[in-house]
Amino acid sequence: MDLNRPASPLQEDTATSQTSAHMTELRAGSLRARLVTVAAAAIAAGLLISGCGGGAAPQGAEQAAAADPASGANASGSVNICGVKDASGIYKGTAEAFTKANGKVTAKYTEIGATTDEARTQIVQRLEGKSTECDIFLTDVIWTSEFASQGWLLDQTKLVEANKDRLIPSTVETTKYQDKYWASPFFTNAGLVYYQKDKVAKPETWQQLYAEAAKAPGNGYVYQGKQYEGLTVNFLEMLYSAGGEVLDDKGEVAIDSPETREVLDFMSNGLKDGAADRAVLTYNEDPARLAYESGDFGYQRNWPHVYRLLNATSLAGSFGVAPLPAWEGGKASGVLGGWNLAISAHATNQSGAVAFIDFATTPEWQKHVAMDYSQAPVNEAAYSDAAVLQKMPFATELLASVKGAKPRPISPVYPQISQAIYKNVYAVLSGTASAEDAVKKMAEEITTAKASF
């Protein structure tokens, strides 16, 4: 997503919508200052503070109140949901449908930012200021750890567990921090590969995709290679499928690995041999889509919203949609995007918030998430529904990508981690750094970021 303009109707849920380099640097400084203060106080009290994985949770998370799953049944009054500009109408539409179906609770959606970054700034200001304006915040999947660690959210563990049988497991993982759930998934997202059926074959492995893309000038591959969050996602999709990690199960830095070097060399060689056009170094989602619409390329990596847009061009009927391919000898692994529903620690109608979340995650409403708004449901049954398949024929492929996808590194300092990744990956792709130097620098910068917490 272009983070400098409002989201298009079907882009606001993209996994790359998260954090521009400029906003990352500004927020990183602010976050570091807050976290250093928290750490100093904890040490003075004789507590062990740790980052993501191992050790005790920060006091903010430990002291958080919990949402009561049973409270929604007797809810009344009004509930206010706040978040990014509602370009597709899904947020206001859900609020209106809930109000009509519930009868006792009135829900409204309040836009507090034209872009994801603007909304995030507004949300943080309200949470830091203990504002009671918003009961629920629409949160990007990468915000969970930071918000939870600051004690800004209600613990939704019991609520999520009560609804778990209706939710795709991978989407639930995006709401987890320190073994608790801090939000409920609303809709999700995972990357797909679009391919020209008359030029190239459906990709089974990344190696096959790149080999076919290099065979002829019109077979090339386009993706999001600009120096921003989207490049982090594109890189992690390959790294995860190759068996690599950024952080291990204990939260330790694990990116200095043979898998990371292999993926960096592979991506770099793809640009050198012409499999991928060098213009990708300037592409986010829209430019990649527009380049593919020219008909001059065989493959495109992008998000589900592109399907409808492509069908409005001369390429309609000529392209196929596939889940992300596997690494040769490994398995496919996407990177989850999407949006979650988090209850503010300062909500004045917690029971109304619970009732709204219960409604938004029902299998019936999740069908409307797909049919009416072309977003990826968090309920697996929706993907096989006949009405959904009529509106979203690639639902089977999308489900495969979502189920096989993983969250990005779970850490309160994720913005710094992502910046360390995309800056150094870009350096390799642009030819200003070797894979070896980039891996070392990436690991050092991630270690420094984690030490700030």
Side-chain angles (χ1 to χ4, degrees):
M1 172 184 294
D2 183 348
L3 298 176
N4 297 315
R5 62 173 176 79
S8 63
L10 297 178
Q11 279 184 296
E12 61 186 4
D13 66 322
T14 65
T16 60
S17 67
Q18 282 77 331
T19 310
S20 65
H22 176 63
M23 286 301 298
T24 296
E25 290 166 1
L26 291 177
R27 290 291 302 135
S30 173
L31 173 61
R32 187 179 297 112
R34 292 199 310 273
L35 295 178
V36 167
T37 300
V38 171
I43 291 172
L47 299 174
L48 176 62
I49 297 294
S50 70
C52 175
Q59 281 189 327
E62 287 180 339
Q63 296 176 351
D68 178 5
S71 66
N74 299 314
S76 60
S78 62
V79 61
N80 191 21
I81 305 98
C82 300
V84 73
K85 181 179 175 63
D86 189 16
S88 71
I90 185 172
Y91 311 129
K92 292 179 181 177
T94 304
E96 290 170 0
F98 165 76
T99 299
K100 183 177 180 180
N102 184 276
K104 296 184 295 182
V105 183
T106 300
K108 70 172 182 176
Y109 184 75
T110 301
E111 296 178 349
I112 56 173
T115 68
T116 301
D117 280 337
E118 290 176 12
R120 183 174 185 271
T121 298
Q122 293 295 320
I123 290 171
V124 169
Q125 287 177 355
R126 285 164 172 77
L127 289 168
E128 287 182 325
K130 300 183 179 180
S131 169
T132 59
E133 175 192 1
C134 308
D135 298 292
I136 295 175
F137 286 107
L138 188 76
T139 57
D140 192 308
V141 295
I142 64 167
W143 301 345
T144 302
S145 296
E146 180 193 353
F147 288 11
S149 71
Q150 298 305 307
W152 290 341
L153 309 176
L154 285 192
D155 174 3
Q156 285 194 43
T157 302
K158 292 181 179 178
L159 179 58
V160 170
E161 288 178 343
N163 294 331
K164 217 170 184 179
D165 61 346
R166 66 171 67 159
L167 302 170
I168 297 171
S170 61
T171 69
V172 174
E173 288 301 301
T174 68
T175 74
K176 193 173 186 179
Y177 174 69
Q178 293 288 2
D179 297 321
K180 293 182 179 180
Y181 301 113
W182 300 91
S184 291
F186 181 31
F187 61 85
T188 187
N189 214 345
L192 296 167
V193 172
Y194 297 83
Y195 62 99
Q196 286 299 107
K197 293 183 288 187
D198 61 339
K199 293 182 179 180
V200 294
K202 177 180 178 180
E204 300 297 334
T205 67
W206 285 111
Q207 286 76 7
Q208 176 207 343
L209 185 154
Y210 269 66
E212 293 217 17
K215 283 182 181 178
N219 287 13
Y221 174 52
V222 290
Y223 61 93
Q224 296 76 49
K226 185 178 179 180
Q227 193 172 191
Y228 80 123
E229 176 71 18
L231 180 55
T232 295
V233 172
N234 277 251
F235 169 73
L236 291 180
E237 286 168 345
M238 287 194 187
L239 180 66
Y240 288 165
S241 66
E245 295 286 352
V246 178
L247 304 176
D248 64 20
D249 291 342
K250 296 182 179 180
E252 300 301 322
V253 180
I255 202 164
D256 187 349
S257 67
E259 291 85 2
T260 302
R261 291 170 176 79
E262 184 180 8
V263 170
L264 286 173
D265 284 333
F266 179 78
M267 294 179 74
S268 178
N269 290 335
L271 289 167
K272 292 174 183 176
D273 66 19
D277 192 280
R278 288 197 68 79
V280 301
L281 297 178
T282 67
Y283 289 171
N284 55 21
E285 284 77 12
D286 270 352
R289 172 180 62 84
L290 294 171
Y292 186 75
E293 285 179 8
S294 70
D296 295 334
F297 298 94
Y299 293 106
Q300 172 193 199
R301 181 260 174 234
N302 221 313
W303 303 99
H305 75 273
V306 167
Y307 178 83
R308 193 180 78 165
L309 299 175
L310 284 178
N311 272 319
T313 71
S314 60
L315 297 184
S318 68
F319 64 90
V321 184
L324 293 176
W327 194 257
E328 200 168 78
K331 62 180 183 179
S333 181
V335 173
L336 280 178
W339 292 88
N340 298 329
L341 298 168
I343 303 176
S344 170
H346 314 296
T348 57
N349 191 352
Q350 294 182 11
S351 60
V354 169
F356 180 85
I357 289 171
D358 278 337
F359 174 85
T361 57
T362 57
E364 185 56 38
W365 184 251
Q366 284 293 305
K367 294 177 186 177
H368 289 279
V369 165
M371 293 187 297
D372 300 343
Y373 304 104
S374 298
Q375 306 291 10
V378 294
N379 172 258
E380 184 171 345
Y383 291 84
S384 58
D385 183 81
V388 170
L389 286 167
Q390 186 175 7
K391 292 287 188 71
M392 192 183 279
F394 62 96
T396 301
E397 289 78 10
L398 178 56
L399 178 61
S401 284
V402 169
K403 292 181 72 173
K406 298 170 58 175
R408 275 157 280 187
I410 299 173
S411 171
V413 292
Y414 175 78
Q416 295 108 297
I417 292 175
S418 178
Q419 187 179 56
I421 293 171
Y422 66 66
K423 284 175 62 178
N424 287 291
V425 172
Y426 184 87
V428 174
L429 299 186
S430 61
T432 61
S434 67
E436 183 64 31
D437 288 344
V439 170
K440 295 295 184 185
K441 191 173 181 183
M442 206 182 302
E444 290 171 1
E445 292 177 357
I446 294 173
T447 299
T448 298
K450 281 179 53 60
S452 72
F453 177 60

